[in-house]
Amino acid sequence: MACVKHFLQFRDFTRPEFDHLFERARWIKSEFKAYRRYSPLGDRTLVMIFEKASTRTRLSFEAGMQQLGGSAIYLNSRDSQLQRGESVEDAARVISRMSDVVMIRTFEQAMIQRFAAHSRVPVINGLSNEYHPCQILADIFTFIEHRGPIQGRTVAWIGDSNNVCNTWLQAAEVLDFQVNVSTPPGYEVAVDRAGLQGTNNHRQFADPMDAARGADLVTTDVWTSMGFEAENEERRRDFADWQVDAEMMRVAHPDALFMHCLPVHRGEEVTAEVIDGPQSVVWDEAENRMHTQKALLEYLLLGRVDNSAELSRNGP
Ligand code: CP
Ligand code: NVA
């Protein structure tokens, strides 16, 4: 199983691999927008295992796989044997004999790692407590579409040092940009849990305004992630001063973008004025989940495809 390529955390891929994915996503998106069929994954099956709720991740993988000519099967823990105690290892052995690629959304990253270790086919992390690599793949693609290369730029992360934050921090190390992080006291980034190499690609700020100052992108996420609902009331109090508002956007670079992985709680982590305002690219960001994941599925199943010129000339 050692030669199977997985996408379990952002640092599983190198910068040249991301450059390839961004280029393929750009081409796949432009074909989709022009109503040109690109379906290289006929007869291939994606199995999606969800142990947490989802709108975007399910929809983007399912629609994307269908557009590529394959099919997608949705399993949730409630009606699979995983909930009744079948081991992750046995589930991985069985599921990977009947499918070509597996996406998992779950609680502990360790579950995804165990599944991948016993899978014959590529495994994609569709969100764990620790990471959300597909989200940051789409976010960086969205940044590139709007502003060009992210190398050397500064991203301000305001709020919880959660799965999305950890993935931004890994991405900064792989793609060489800076992340300014501001969290409330007690919620700081844990370098080990974030899986960081320890390069100097992030700085922590006590004051969120200092983190946002001069940033090319300001981004945040819910104060309470899935699985942490018991802490909701406490977090509402602790995070009250970590709201992205118009004043914070004013201290960022004049061209700064605003992103949020969604779903959002307007009036908590961000004001309606900002998320519904001119600097926000959240709807592009959501749509790009599908285009970038199509590039990811293509790469994991077919390797480095570079048929853009030929297909553009001759059609599919
Ligand atoms: N951003 C994101 O992953 O959304 P869902 O939880 O709806 O999949
Ligand atoms: N940090 C959020 C992201 C949701 C897409 C969560 O884990 O609930």
Side-chain angles (χ1 to χ4, degrees):
M1 246 86 84
C3 57
V4 180
K5 184 100 189 143
H6 304 292
F7 190 48
L8 309 183
Q9 50 184 303
F10 202 89
R11 68 172 199 210
D12 286 346
F13 285 9
T14 61
R15 182 165 159 183
E17 286 178 301
F18 284 111
D19 288 343
H20 171 77
L21 289 181
F22 295 138
E23 178 50 30
R24 291 302 295 160
R26 189 194 61 73
W27 182 81
I28 286 169
K29 181 174 181 176
S30 72
E31 294 300 288
F32 177 77
K33 296 286 180 189
Y35 296 97
R36 280 194 289 271
R37 189 186 297 271
Y38 178 57
S39 308
L41 299 186
D43 297 328
R44 304 293 184 106
T45 303
L46 164 70
V47 169
M48 306 182 294
I49 301 171
F50 282 92
E51 301 201 289
K52 288 179 176 173
S54 168
T55 297
R56 279 145 288 268
T57 302
R58 177 180 177 179
L59 188 59
S60 55
F61 269 108
E62 195 163 329
M65 191 64 185
Q66 283 175 14
Q67 289 160 23
L68 290 171
S71 55
I73 296 174
Y74 173 81
L75 282 182
N76 67 39
S77 40
R78 275 191 313 285
D79 43 47
S80 77
Q81 298 285 9
L82 274 167
Q83 186 78 343
R84 296 182 61 255
E86 181 165 27
S87 78
V88 169
E89 290 77 6
D90 289 353
R93 291 183 181 106
V94 172
I95 291 168
S96 69
R97 283 187 179 221
M98 301 186 198
S99 61
D100 301 284
V101 55
V102 178
M103 185 238 80
I104 305 176
R105 168 169 287 198
T106 190
F107 294 85
E108 296 299 326
Q109 176 74 10
M111 182 273 189
I112 304 183
Q113 307 274 160
R114 281 166 60 204
F115 192 105
H118 295 84
S119 171
R120 291 181 163 193
V121 302
V123 177
I124 299 169
N125 179 351
L127 180 147
S128 64
N129 288 348
E130 287 85 352
Y131 307 118
H132 196 1
C134 295
Q135 183 67 53
I136 305 309
L137 182 67
D139 292 4
I140 294 175
F141 178 72
T142 306
F143 184 89
I144 295 168
E145 280 190 322
H146 284 270
R147 295 287 183 266
I150 198 160
Q151 279 74 28
R153 301 298 198 106
T154 299
V155 175
W157 176 270
I158 311 298
D160 192 16
S161 60
N162 62 13
N163 42 11
V164 179
C165 173
N166 287 342
T167 311
W168 269 114
L169 297 173
Q170 284 199 359
E173 291 191 337
V174 177
L175 300 178
D176 198 20
F177 58 92
Q178 193 69 37
V179 183
N180 292 347
V181 183
S182 182
T183 66
Y187 296 91
E188 291 87 355
V189 171
V191 171
D192 285 354
R193 191 171 158 81
L196 301 180
Q197 310 289 345
T199 57
N200 289 323
N201 290 80
H202 83 275
R203 283 190 298 256
Q204 309 229 26
F205 291 82
D207 184 341
M209 293 295 277
D210 290 336
R213 196 157 282 120
D216 300 292
L217 166 64
V218 179
T219 186
T220 186
D221 189 9
V222 290
W223 290 340
T224 305
S225 287
M226 291 180 280
F228 297 84
E229 288 80 1
E231 299 171 16
N232 205 15
E233 284 314 307
E234 189 184 344
R235 282 171 170 266
R236 273 205 188 140
R237 283 192 301 275
D238 292 347
F239 283 81
D241 293 334
W242 275 261
Q243 181 187 66
V244 179
D245 58 11
E247 195 190 343
M248 198 177 284
M249 291 306 294
R250 265 194 291 280
V251 302
H253 190 278
D255 273 348
L257 298 174
F258 173 78
M259 288 190 195
H260 188 307
C261 64
L262 306 176
V264 62
H265 294 93
R266 286 178 176 77
E268 290 192 8
E269 70 271 13
V270 60
T271 60
E273 184 184 9
V274 169
I275 194 160
D276 299 321
Q279 288 167 285
S280 172
V281 290
V282 295
W283 313 122
D284 290 345
E285 196 187 346
E287 179 189 325
N288 283 335
R289 290 290 305 277
M290 185 175 79
H291 305 301
T292 51
Q293 287 162 196
K294 285 170 75 178
L296 176 65
L297 289 165
E298 180 199 66
Y299 180 60
L300 290 175
L301 291 175
L302 303 179
R304 284 182 78 100
V305 173
D306 188 14
N307 58 356
S308 323
E310 190 187 329
L311 278 166
S312 298
R313 265 198 315 278
N314 304 328

